PDB file of all heavy atoms in Angstrom:
ATOM      1  N   THR A 364       1.802   8.703  -4.155  1.00  0.00           N
ATOM      2  CA  THR A 364       0.534   8.533  -4.881  1.00  0.00           C
ATOM      3  C   THR A 364       0.691   7.494  -5.991  1.00  0.00           C
ATOM      4  O   THR A 364      -0.182   6.642  -6.193  1.00  0.00           O
ATOM      5  CB  THR A 364       0.077   9.888  -5.473  1.00  0.00           C
ATOM      6  OG1 THR A 364       0.005  10.836  -4.412  1.00  0.00           O
ATOM      7  CG2 THR A 364      -1.273   9.778  -6.146  1.00  0.00           C
ATOM      8  N   VAL A 365       1.817   7.546  -6.709  1.00  0.00           N
ATOM      9  CA  VAL A 365       2.045   6.549  -7.762  1.00  0.00           C
ATOM     10  C   VAL A 365       2.195   5.162  -7.134  1.00  0.00           C
ATOM     11  O   VAL A 365       1.637   4.180  -7.627  1.00  0.00           O
ATOM     12  CB  VAL A 365       3.286   6.913  -8.609  1.00  0.00           C
ATOM     13  CG1 VAL A 365       3.574   5.814  -9.634  1.00  0.00           C
ATOM     14  CG2 VAL A 365       3.095   8.247  -9.306  1.00  0.00           C
ATOM     15  N   ARG A 366       2.902   5.107  -6.017  1.00  0.00           N
ATOM     16  CA  ARG A 366       3.075   3.808  -5.334  1.00  0.00           C
ATOM     17  C   ARG A 366       1.713   3.219  -4.954  1.00  0.00           C
ATOM     18  O   ARG A 366       1.447   2.028  -5.161  1.00  0.00           O
ATOM     19  CB  ARG A 366       3.958   3.990  -4.105  1.00  0.00           C
ATOM     20  CG  ARG A 366       4.078   2.790  -3.170  1.00  0.00           C
ATOM     21  CD  ARG A 366       4.991   1.681  -3.651  1.00  0.00           C
ATOM     22  NE  ARG A 366       4.377   0.739  -4.578  1.00  0.00           N
ATOM     23  CZ  ARG A 366       4.874  -0.441  -4.920  1.00  0.00           C
ATOM     24  NH1 ARG A 366       6.037  -0.837  -4.445  1.00  0.00           N
ATOM     25  NH2 ARG A 366       4.264  -1.217  -5.763  1.00  0.00           N
ATOM     26  N   SER A 367       0.834   4.067  -4.365  1.00  0.00           N
ATOM     27  CA  SER A 367      -0.483   3.567  -3.926  1.00  0.00           C
ATOM     28  C   SER A 367      -1.306   3.047  -5.103  1.00  0.00           C
ATOM     29  O   SER A 367      -2.076   2.104  -4.951  1.00  0.00           O
ATOM     30  CB  SER A 367      -1.289   4.671  -3.250  1.00  0.00           C
ATOM     31  OG  SER A 367      -0.563   5.202  -2.197  1.00  0.00           O
ATOM     32  N   ALA A 368      -1.142   3.679  -6.262  1.00  0.00           N
ATOM     33  CA  ALA A 368      -1.947   3.280  -7.425  1.00  0.00           C
ATOM     34  C   ALA A 368      -1.365   2.069  -8.144  1.00  0.00           C
ATOM     35  O   ALA A 368      -2.044   1.460  -8.976  1.00  0.00           O
ATOM     36  CB  ALA A 368      -2.046   4.456  -8.396  1.00  0.00           C
ATOM     37  N   SER A 369      -0.096   1.729  -7.831  1.00  0.00           N
ATOM     38  CA  SER A 369       0.576   0.650  -8.582  1.00  0.00           C
ATOM     39  C   SER A 369       0.228  -0.710  -8.007  1.00  0.00           C
ATOM     40  O   SER A 369       0.338  -0.913  -6.799  1.00  0.00           O
ATOM     41  CB  SER A 369       2.100   0.826  -8.517  1.00  0.00           C
ATOM     42  OG  SER A 369       2.464   2.099  -8.962  1.00  0.00           O
ATOM     43  N   PRO A 370      -0.150  -1.668  -8.845  1.00  0.00           N
ATOM     44  CA  PRO A 370      -0.466  -3.009  -8.350  1.00  0.00           C
ATOM     45  C   PRO A 370       0.758  -3.676  -7.727  1.00  0.00           C
ATOM     46  O   PRO A 370       1.898  -3.292  -8.012  1.00  0.00           O
ATOM     47  CB  PRO A 370      -0.890  -3.760  -9.617  1.00  0.00           C
ATOM     48  CG  PRO A 370      -1.116  -2.727 -10.653  1.00  0.00           C
ATOM     49  CD  PRO A 370      -0.309  -1.529 -10.298  1.00  0.00           C
ATOM     50  N   ALA A 371       0.496  -4.700  -6.898  1.00  0.00           N
ATOM     51  CA  ALA A 371       1.594  -5.484  -6.320  1.00  0.00           C
ATOM     52  C   ALA A 371       2.463  -6.029  -7.452  1.00  0.00           C
ATOM     53  O   ALA A 371       1.962  -6.403  -8.507  1.00  0.00           O
ATOM     54  CB  ALA A 371       1.025  -6.631  -5.493  1.00  0.00           C
ATOM     55  N   GLY A 372       3.756  -6.030  -7.234  1.00  0.00           N
ATOM     56  CA  GLY A 372       4.670  -6.579  -8.225  1.00  0.00           C
ATOM     57  C   GLY A 372       5.087  -5.589  -9.302  1.00  0.00           C
ATOM     58  O   GLY A 372       5.849  -5.927 -10.202  1.00  0.00           O
ATOM     59  N   THR A 373       4.596  -4.343  -9.206  1.00  0.00           N
ATOM     60  CA  THR A 373       4.993  -3.329 -10.182  1.00  0.00           C
ATOM     61  C   THR A 373       6.506  -3.108 -10.130  1.00  0.00           C
ATOM     62  O   THR A 373       7.088  -3.010  -9.057  1.00  0.00           O
ATOM     63  CB  THR A 373       4.272  -1.992  -9.889  1.00  0.00           C
ATOM     64  OG1 THR A 373       2.873  -2.183 -10.064  1.00  0.00           O
ATOM     65  CG2 THR A 373       4.758  -0.870 -10.800  1.00  0.00           C
ATOM     66  N   VAL A 374       7.120  -3.045 -11.297  1.00  0.00           N
ATOM     67  CA  VAL A 374       8.543  -2.706 -11.391  1.00  0.00           C
ATOM     68  C   VAL A 374       8.660  -1.203 -11.569  1.00  0.00           C
ATOM     69  O   VAL A 374       7.959  -0.613 -12.398  1.00  0.00           O
ATOM     70  CB  VAL A 374       9.203  -3.435 -12.576  1.00  0.00           C
ATOM     71  CG1 VAL A 374      10.632  -2.948 -12.791  1.00  0.00           C
ATOM     72  CG2 VAL A 374       9.194  -4.949 -12.342  1.00  0.00           C
ATOM     73  N   MET A 375       9.520  -0.561 -10.774  1.00  0.00           N
ATOM     74  CA  MET A 375       9.694   0.890 -10.864  1.00  0.00           C
ATOM     75  C   MET A 375      11.140   1.200 -11.231  1.00  0.00           C
ATOM     76  O   MET A 375      12.055   0.600 -10.673  1.00  0.00           O
ATOM     77  CB  MET A 375       9.323   1.534  -9.524  1.00  0.00           C
ATOM     78  CG  MET A 375       9.368   3.047  -9.513  1.00  0.00           C
ATOM     79  SD  MET A 375      11.029   3.714  -9.222  1.00  0.00           S
ATOM     80  CE  MET A 375      11.068   3.785  -7.451  1.00  0.00           C
ATOM     81  N   THR A 376      11.330   2.109 -12.180  1.00  0.00           N
ATOM     82  CA  THR A 376      12.675   2.617 -12.461  1.00  0.00           C
ATOM     83  C   THR A 376      12.686   4.115 -12.174  1.00  0.00           C
ATOM     84  O   THR A 376      11.657   4.774 -12.288  1.00  0.00           O
ATOM     85  CB  THR A 376      13.099   2.403 -13.932  1.00  0.00           C
ATOM     86  OG1 THR A 376      12.363   3.305 -14.780  1.00  0.00           O
ATOM     87  CG2 THR A 376      12.847   0.978 -14.398  1.00  0.00           C
TER      88      THR A 376
END
Side-chain angles (χ1 to χ4, degrees):
T364 305
V365 176
R366 172 77 277 194
S367 304
S369 305
T373 296
V374 173
M375 184 276 272
T376 72

